[in-house]
Amino acid sequence: MDGAAVRATWWGHATVWLEDSGVRLLTDPLLGDRLAHLRRMRGPRPLLPGAPDAVLVSHLHADHLDVPSLRRIPADTTFVVPRGAAGLIHRRLGSHYSGNCVELAPGEETKIKDLRVRAVPAAHDGGRGPWSRLRGDALGFVVEGAVRTWFAGDTGLFDGMSELGPVDLALVPVGGWGPSLHPSQHLGPADGAEAVRRVGATEAIPIHYGTFWPVGMGRVRPHMFHSPGSDFVRAAEQLIPDVRAHLPAPGETVEIGAP
């Protein structure tokens, strides 16, 4: 890690604005207040400081590849997506968007200015949904610049996860939007800490919790909405005490490597 400022702003769910080496990346943008039966229940609507240099889309689920959110981003942005996703983007947004898609499979990589972006595996269903035949590999991404950042996307624990590291920063999912998450395809707070241990991160930010929740379910298992981030920090303190686990609120920025 060098002295360059690297900043990560968590905007809720899996949406992170990452600045590294003067390059601006946006992960899994979910920029509105509503998605089907889900509502933004915490934090402000994302207010981006400008156009990103690239958008990283981890998989095809609607809360990660959200077409209305992509429509708010300039079409000449680079969209790094799972192999097979460009066809969906072409049908929904047209060739001016799909023509700027870079499709990757696990192990493949691309350059975004001074950053190297490598697609890595994720243990998660890669389909668009039960109503769609469209499928693609669910991905995480390792971004190499002034620091090495692992954006996990959405994943469970899997064999070989330790081969992704070591990294300086882990953006790790620790919850979700529903009261029930399949443990083989999602990380809770304790498994999130274990994932950070496996990839050898020195700093971590919990994501993918405490933002969207089904309408009418605000009083149903509220701890599953509010608690995963703080539970992750406590789990990390026990399992990996040398790791600096941050707990930003939606819209807050963390400077990586800051004293």
Side-chain angles (χ1 to χ4, degrees), residues 45-138:
R45 179 184 298 181
L47 182 61
L48 304 181
D53 294 296
V55 171
L56 308 183
V57 175
S58 65
H59 62 290
L60 306 188
H61 287 171
D63 58 326
H64 293 259
L65 195 167
D66 178 51
V67 172
S69 294
L70 296 184
R71 190 176 287 118
R72 299 182 184 188
I73 296 167
D76 59 358
T77 303
T78 298
F79 297 89
V80 184
V81 301
R83 189 165 300 283
L88 168 65
I89 292 174
H90 180 82
R91 289 192 296 274
R92 299 295 299 277
L93 295 172
S95 60
H96 48 306
Y97 277 84
S98 62
N100 288 304
C101 285
V102 176
E103 292 189 312
L104 298 180
E108 297 178 337
E109 62 182 56
T110 189
K111 289 277 288 185
I112 307 296
K113 295 186 175 178
D114 291 334
L115 302 184
R116 184 163 72 105
V117 178
R118 177 165 54 96
V120 298
H124 195 71
D125 177 64
R128 179 66 170 169
W131 64 89
S132 174
R133 296 180 180 178
L134 183 63
R135 302 193 61 79
D137 288 320

Side-chain angles (χ1 to χ4, degrees), residues 212-248:
F212 287 85
W213 205 245
V215 173
M217 293 184 65
R219 297 184 179 180
V220 177
R221 302 178 188 175
H223 66 285
M224 299 192 73
F225 180 84
H226 295 286
S227 300
S230 55
D231 289 347
F232 164 80
V233 171
R234 283 191 290 271
E237 289 172 348
Q238 294 294 318
L239 181 66
I240 40 176
D242 292 337
V243 172
R244 189 177 184 186
H246 302 274
L247 190 61

Side-chain angles (χ1 to χ4, degrees), residues 3 20 32 55 139 147 179 223 250 257:
D20 185 335
V55 171
L139 304 176
V147 305
H223 66 285

